[in-house]
Amino acid sequence: MATQKKLILDTDLLNVTVNRLCQQLIENHANFDETVILGMQTKGVHLAEMIHEKLEQSLNKHIDLGHLDTTFYRDDFRRRETPVKANATNVPFIIEDKNVILIDDVLYTGRSVRAALDAMIAFGRPRKVELLVLVNRKYSRQLPIEPDYVGSEVNTIASQKVLVELMAQGHSKNKIWLINKEDQ
Amino acid sequence: MSQLSQKHLLGIKNITRKDIDLIFETAKNFKEVINRPIKKVPSLRDVTIANIFFENSTRTKLSFELAEKRLSADVVNFSSSGSSVKKGETLLDTVNNILAMKVDMVVMRHGSPGAPHFLAKHIKANIVNAGDGTHEHPTQALLDTFSIHQKFDTLEGLKVAIIGDILHSRVAISNIFALQKLGAQVMVCGPNTLLPKYIKSLGVKVELDVKKALQWCDVANVLRIQLERQQIKYFPSLREYSLYYGIDRKLLEQLDKEITILHPGPINRGVELNSDVADSDHALILEQVENGVAVRMAVLYLLAGVGTS
């Protein structure tokens, strides 16, 4: 097996991308009075925290940030070899009638986002939900789900993988890789 | 580790420390779920669970049933009174008949020690032991230790005394295994007649004086006197038991430290525990009940995920 790695985003480029995503969010949500942010466990939470910090700095106000775990809502439980480990959900506010920005690192089949939409409903009926992802893997969706805000788009095939390494997880630098696994 | 090492939960003796840690971690997440306005998750929507109770139970059965419903499982209930068991059907036949109706998991309480172990050898479904005679009651031990874990963050080095009718108690045996696997020091305390002969071989301290036991421990798990299991008299009277082993506020105030009190219920108020202790801040009793649902959700959820691919 020859493994090829291609760098999609590094620390500097990620910074530029996150700044741009924040600007887009401010354009659409103005002062965030009616908007809350939900990061999807686990890596979506790190990204959500980065975006949340920047937004609070630029707007100079408090914005609600929650962590959403989708494990108990997945549709592949009892269908995969090893179950996914559950993480903490922490949504200390009501999302009823709010605009929700759902944040994840990579959008691939769309199944995690479907589970997240289910998980979210337990905390109320939002007015509107938008999806922000750092990497959008195009042409790989299994459900009719598309992102509203995209950091970077890549064309991938099933044998490829997007690897997200973030400093918040203990890596020395922020790096997003496209990994190619080919048979020799 | 995101998977249990066992397909069944027959006893704490059969599971590993890693299993217990995984159950605790998952239970913590389920505790958050059951405190939401919408307390239900769809995880087990394609799973059918049979609760088979050959012995009386109120809180364990209710707690299991709630846990199953919060996980969106389909639930069928069976209790031996008024069933074909009374007509002479064997345990295996009863359960096989229930399984023929396509049941995936069985939660069973039975009066005979080892009954769930016997079943596990003969049927495919996951089995959860909800108490087998005087042998084990694993989910009770898990919720007791989980409640202690929630309060103290770790059980490593903690001193826990189990006080009361150890001889007839499956809660005591399962608790001893669970506490030891989690690194706690365990003492049992009760009248000599209610301590099993070989209890020391489990590596626990033995104390006959309840005051000394309370002085030693950080946590006391007080057990009920199981009169229904006692065919002969082990002590002269309940009044005398209460006089020597009953725990009241006065006794706790004589200690030079604060200890935490657990009781698996149902409490015989005024016998092993006085109301001024049972209803005090020292007691974790109602928290144990709340944690019971979360822990049982974790057990059912994790067992459902074992080896299904």
Side-chain angles (χ1 to χ4, degrees):
Chain A
M1 287 277 276
T3 305
Q4 291 177 328
K5 273 171 117 182
K6 185 185 151 201
L7 194 64
I8 311 173
L9 289 171
D10 61 11
T11 302
D12 291 343
L13 201 50
L14 180 72
N15 221 357
V16 173
T17 305
V18 169
N19 278 333
R20 170 174 56 80
L21 290 170
C22 288
Q23 292 310 318
Q24 287 177 338
L25 287 172
I26 293 171
E27 261 180 37
N28 287 341
H29 294 270
N31 54 11
F32 276 75
D33 275 344
E34 295 295 312
T35 305
V36 300
I37 298 174
L38 286 182
M40 285 165 63
Q41 287 278 20
T42 52
K43 286 178 186 162
V45 166
H46 298 310
L47 182 64
E49 277 165 357
M50 286 162 73
I51 289 173
H52 179 254
E53 193 187 331
K54 285 212 159 100
L55 284 173
E56 282 201 333
Q57 271 171 13
S58 357
L59 298 170
N60 199 19
K61 65 179 287 191
H62 169 78
I63 299 168
D64 283 330
L65 168 70
H67 303 166
L68 195 65
D69 184 55
T70 62
T71 313
F72 301 137
Y73 298 84
R74 296 183 67 94
D75 60 4
D76 58 356
F77 181 58
R78 286 164 67 79
R79 285 166 184 82
R80 48 190 296 151
E81 282 197 10
T82 43
V84 180
K85 198 168 180 179
N87 291 288
T89 290
N90 181 21
V91 185
F93 44 82
I94 302 287
I95 62 167
E96 186 78 28
D97 219 21
K98 292 275 168 68
N99 298 312
V100 175
I101 300 161
L102 206 56
I103 298 183
D104 203 2
D105 58 341
V106 181
L107 177 61
Y108 179 37
T109 61
R111 286 182 188 263
S112 295
V113 175
R114 197 235 23 103
L117 291 171
D118 251 9
M120 197 182 60
I121 303 303
F123 299 95
R125 179 182 185 269
R127 185 188 307 157
K128 187 179 180 186
V129 184
E130 289 180 323
L131 177 63
L132 181 153
V133 295
L134 190 55
V135 180
N136 178 21
R137 293 182 65 168
K138 287 161 70 182
Y139 315 121
S140 56
R141 218 72 76 234
Q142 293 168 1
L143 293 168
I145 284 169
E146 287 304 324
D148 299 284
Y149 308 92
V150 178
S152 175
E153 282 197 322
V154 287
N155 298 334
T156 58
I157 50 174
S159 64
Q160 291 172 318
K161 214 185 137 190
V162 175
L163 178 70
V164 177
E165 295 177 345
L166 295 176
M167 281 153 76
Q169 295 173 280
H171 292 281
S172 59
K173 281 186 174 157
N174 290 323
K175 280 180 179 170
I176 322 287
W177 302 90
L178 180 63
I179 297 180
N180 227 336
K181 281 183 181 166
E182 286 171 10
D183 288 317
Q184 278 180 329
Chain B
M1 267 281 288
S2 59
Q3 201 167 5
L4 293 178
S5 65
Q6 304 285 318
K7 195 179 160 228
H8 311 289
L9 180 66
L10 302 176
I12 302 293
K13 197 179 180 180
N14 312 73
I15 61 172
T16 63
R17 165 75 191 256
K18 276 188 178 163
D19 288 332
I20 300 178
D21 288 341
L22 178 62
I23 291 170
F24 281 8
E25 242 174 274
T26 314
K28 221 161 80 186
N29 294 320
F30 279 125
K31 195 172 175 182
E32 182 270 320
V33 169
I34 59 175
N35 279 296
R36 292 180 191 169
I38 299 174
K39 301 169 177 59
K40 213 168 162 142
V41 291
S43 314
L44 298 194
R45 65 192 142 195
D46 53 354
V47 175
T48 306
I49 304 177
N51 298 318
I52 306 183
F53 281 72
F54 291 95
E55 254 192 356
N56 291 337
S57 164
T58 315
R59 80 203 58 218
T60 304
K61 195 171 169 183
L62 209 63
S63 177
F64 264 112
E65 200 172 333
L66 265 178
E68 289 151 4
K69 288 184 170 164
R70 302 264 193 257
L71 288 166
S72 305
D74 288 321
V75 182
V76 284
N77 286 304
F78 165 94
S79 57
S80 63
S81 55
S83 74
S84 293
V85 174
K86 293 272 182 285
K87 299 175 193 165
E89 192 173 48
T90 66
L91 170 62
L92 196 56
D93 279 340
T94 306
V95 175
N96 267 332
N97 271 285
I98 294 168
L99 291 182
M101 301 174 204
K102 306 292 169 221
V103 167
D104 306 288
M105 289 175 104
V106 173
V107 174
M108 186 174 79
R109 168 166 289 189
H110 200 282
S112 305
H117 302 69
F118 164 77
L119 263 200
K121 283 186 193 145
H122 292 93
I123 65 170
K124 266 192 184 164
N126 307 89
I127 294 169
V128 183
N129 180 1
D132 57 335
T134 53
H135 182 217
E136 280 225 43
H137 190 352
T139 54
Q140 180 70 44
L142 288 169
L143 76 90
D144 288 348
T145 44
F146 179 70
S147 303
I148 301 171
H149 190 269
Q150 289 253 297
K151 179 157 182 180
F152 292 90
D153 254 356
T154 175
L155 276 83
E156 215 73 56
L158 210 66
K159 293 174 179 165
V160 183
I162 305 172
I163 299 169
D165 184 354
I166 313 294
L167 187 63
H168 299 96
S169 177
R170 51 192 173 212
V171 178
I173 306 292
S174 289
N175 255 288
I176 291 171
F177 290 137
L179 289 164
Q180 287 178 337
K181 284 188 180 177
L182 291 164
Q185 300 181 55
V186 188
M187 174 186 279
V188 296
C189 171
N192 237 333
T193 48
L194 289 178
L195 297 175
K197 206 169 169 190
Y198 300 106
I199 190 78
K200 273 193 178 153
S201 65
L202 291 179
V204 298
K205 291 184 199 312
V206 178
E207 176 60 63
L208 300 177
D209 184 342
V210 73
K211 211 169 150 189
K212 282 185 188 156
L214 292 174
Q215 187 61 51
W216 173 83
C217 71
D218 304 304
V219 179
N221 198 348
V222 185
L223 305 180
R224 184 174 64 92
I225 292 294
Q226 306 207 21
L227 283 178
E228 75 276 14
R229 289 190 204 281
Q230 300 180 4
Q231 264 99 44
I232 57 166
K233 283 228 172 227
Y234 290 91
F235 48 86
S237 70
L238 278 180
R239 270 183 74 181
E240 186 166 328
Y241 180 84
S242 163
L243 195 63
Y244 287 102
Y245 288 93
I247 297 171
D248 58 11
R249 179 144 220 123
K250 221 171 88 193
L251 186 58
L252 291 187
E253 276 165 3
Q254 286 169 20
L255 309 175
D256 50 21
K257 58 177 178 181
E258 283 215 348
I259 61 167
T260 301
I261 302 281
L262 271 72
H263 192 298
I267 309 173
N268 290 327
R269 281 177 189 260
V271 181
E272 69 268 4
L273 216 53
N274 238 12
S275 289
D276 54 8
V277 176
D279 304 328
S280 71
D281 296 340
H282 294 284
L284 286 184
I285 298 167
L286 288 178
E287 245 177 281
Q288 285 173 269
V289 180
E290 180 187 346
N291 290 336
V293 178
V295 165
R296 290 184 173 110
M297 284 172 85
V299 167
L300 295 166
Y301 173 81
L302 290 168
L303 284 178
V306 177
T308 45
S309 58

